[in-house]
Amino acid sequence: MAEARILTVAEAIREATDIAMEHDPRIFVMGEGVSDPKAIFGTTAGLAERYGAARVMEMPIAENGFTGIAIGAAIMGRRPLIVHQRVDFALLSLEQLFNNAAKTCYVTGGHHTVPLVVRMIVGRGWGQGPAHSQSLEALFAMVPGLKVVMPTTAREAKGQLIAALEDPNPVIMIEHRWVHYATGHVPEGHYTVPLDGPRRVREGGDVTIVATSYMLLEALRAAETLNKAGIGADVIDLAVLRPFEPDLIIESVRRTGRLLFIDTGFRQFGIGAEVVATVVEQAFGSLVRPPVRLGLPEHPTPSSRALLADFYPTALSIIDAAAALTEVEPERIAVPRAALAAELAKLPVDVPHPTFRGPF
């Protein structure tokens, strides 16, 4: 058996784009920085040299304009891939995405489709602050007609992107910058990961933990520590925000009786609000404790490292919330929690891992 390949998420995204472009000449890439030497954190590296300026197009700072061009090209049979270095930049093209891309299939009775993929990257740390680090997935997920995915693993990122580029509908793919460094096993060649719902990544019977994007990595780190205290966490990667398929989450909550959701974005009016509402509607009788949501507080992202320390959920806050939900005695969790806290204290507050290189 061939040894499994290890790639970063960024490398997996670059490989997915290359494979899709080689397979389908209708695909072209456009965005600000796609042919820059930094190549959108390496995710578009080498594509301009291989496919030329006709298929890897450097764009001016005119997001609304080039998004409109991409939508028109998609309606006419091409398959554009727009890349934004930050989710925040896509705000300038919301009218095009919400009123044109999302609604064309509906208003034409299915006669026209918009096979458009828009990659957006969430920034964090390095002083990027209020306007370059927003995680706005709830904004896009509320719009019917858009599919919204948030990959966390390298295998998932490659397979989801290829599936998105083959989908006849507009797909929003939101990547967290801190996920780009994460490594994992990635199959060679062409494969797809269905854009159809959440996936269980760790089994447990005491509490259901559902998370998105980078917060899944924090949840998994928390679950390891909880396990040392005898608490089994059933960890679910939401993975696909729209279409929202809650069956796996409902099944898990019916076993554990407890739900903890960790939002990558804001807690209020976030993705977790929809998940909790659905669980309460469909599995209220199974809940032994009220569901708990963690997420960003109700103010913009600070640039200061001193203020960042308490802004984002962490593995430690997830541990505390899960321990409270399961009503575990504090002394039972204290030793493994303290060991993790000592390990995390060695890292700067705005660097997720020693291998991380950022922000650009």
Side-chain angles (χ1 to χ4, degrees), residues 71-256:
I71 292 169
I75 292 172
M76 295 303 293
R78 299 293 298 274
R79 288 182 172 266
L81 168 58
I82 293 176
V83 187
H84 293 296
Q85 293 198 35
R86 293 288 179 263
V87 173
D88 317 71
F89 302 165
L91 295 177
L92 298 166
S93 60
L94 290 190
E95 193 275 333
Q96 295 280 15
L97 292 172
F98 289 3
N99 284 334
N100 295 324
K103 295 179 173 63
T104 292
C105 183
Y106 178 81
V107 301
T108 64
H111 183 70
H112 292 297
T113 59
V114 181
L116 166 70
V117 178
V118 185
R119 287 181 48 214
M120 308 176 184
I121 299 167
V122 178
R124 177 173 167 181
W126 296 75
Q128 291 175 76
H132 285 76
S133 61
Q134 298 176 93
S135 192
L136 301 173
E137 59 273 10
L139 189 65
F140 298 94
M142 69 176 290
V143 180
L146 297 178
K147 294 185 178 181
V148 183
V149 301
M150 294 186 77
T152 305
T153 68
R155 181 188 179 279
E156 184 178 74
K158 178 180 173 180
Q160 280 190 341
L161 181 53
I162 293 175
L165 288 165
E166 295 177 355
D167 199 285
N169 304 292
V171 180
I172 306 297
M173 183 170 176
I174 300 178
E175 309 152 23
H176 197 288
R177 177 70 182 100
W178 284 17
V179 162
H180 277 169
Y181 80 89
T183 59
H185 298 290
V186 180
E188 293 192 46
H190 178 282
Y191 69 90
T192 60
V193 171
L195 310 179
D196 64 356
R199 318 181 208 295
R200 178 178 281 112
V201 293
R202 184 185 179 104
E203 293 188 13
D206 296 317
V207 58
T208 300
I209 301 178
V210 185
T212 59
S213 191
Y214 177 72
M215 283 302 143
L216 176 68
L217 302 182
E218 294 283 358
L220 287 170
R221 183 178 283 173
E224 292 177 6
T225 300
L226 289 167
N227 188 60
K228 294 174 183 177
I231 303 168
D234 206 38
V235 182
I236 295 174
D237 175 10
L238 190 56
V240 179
L241 280 55
R242 179 180 281 271
F244 175 44
E245 302 289 347
D247 292 354
L248 179 63
I249 299 171
I250 298 298
E251 175 270 319
S252 177
V253 170
R254 284 179 174 152
R255 287 189 297 104
T256 67

Side-chain angles (χ1 to χ4, degrees), residues 18 28 48 95-96 104 125 173 273 300-301 316-317 346 353:
D18 190 14
F28 65 92
E95 193 275 333
Q96 295 280 15
T104 292
M173 183 170 176
T301 309
L316 297 176
S317 58
K346 299 174 184 177
H353 190 274

Side-chain angles (χ1 to χ4, degrees), residues 300-322:
T301 309
S303 297
S304 162
R305 285 185 174 184
L307 296 177
L308 276 175
D310 296 319
F311 185 74
Y312 292 100
T314 66
L316 297 176
S317 58
I318 294 169
I319 289 167
D320 293 341

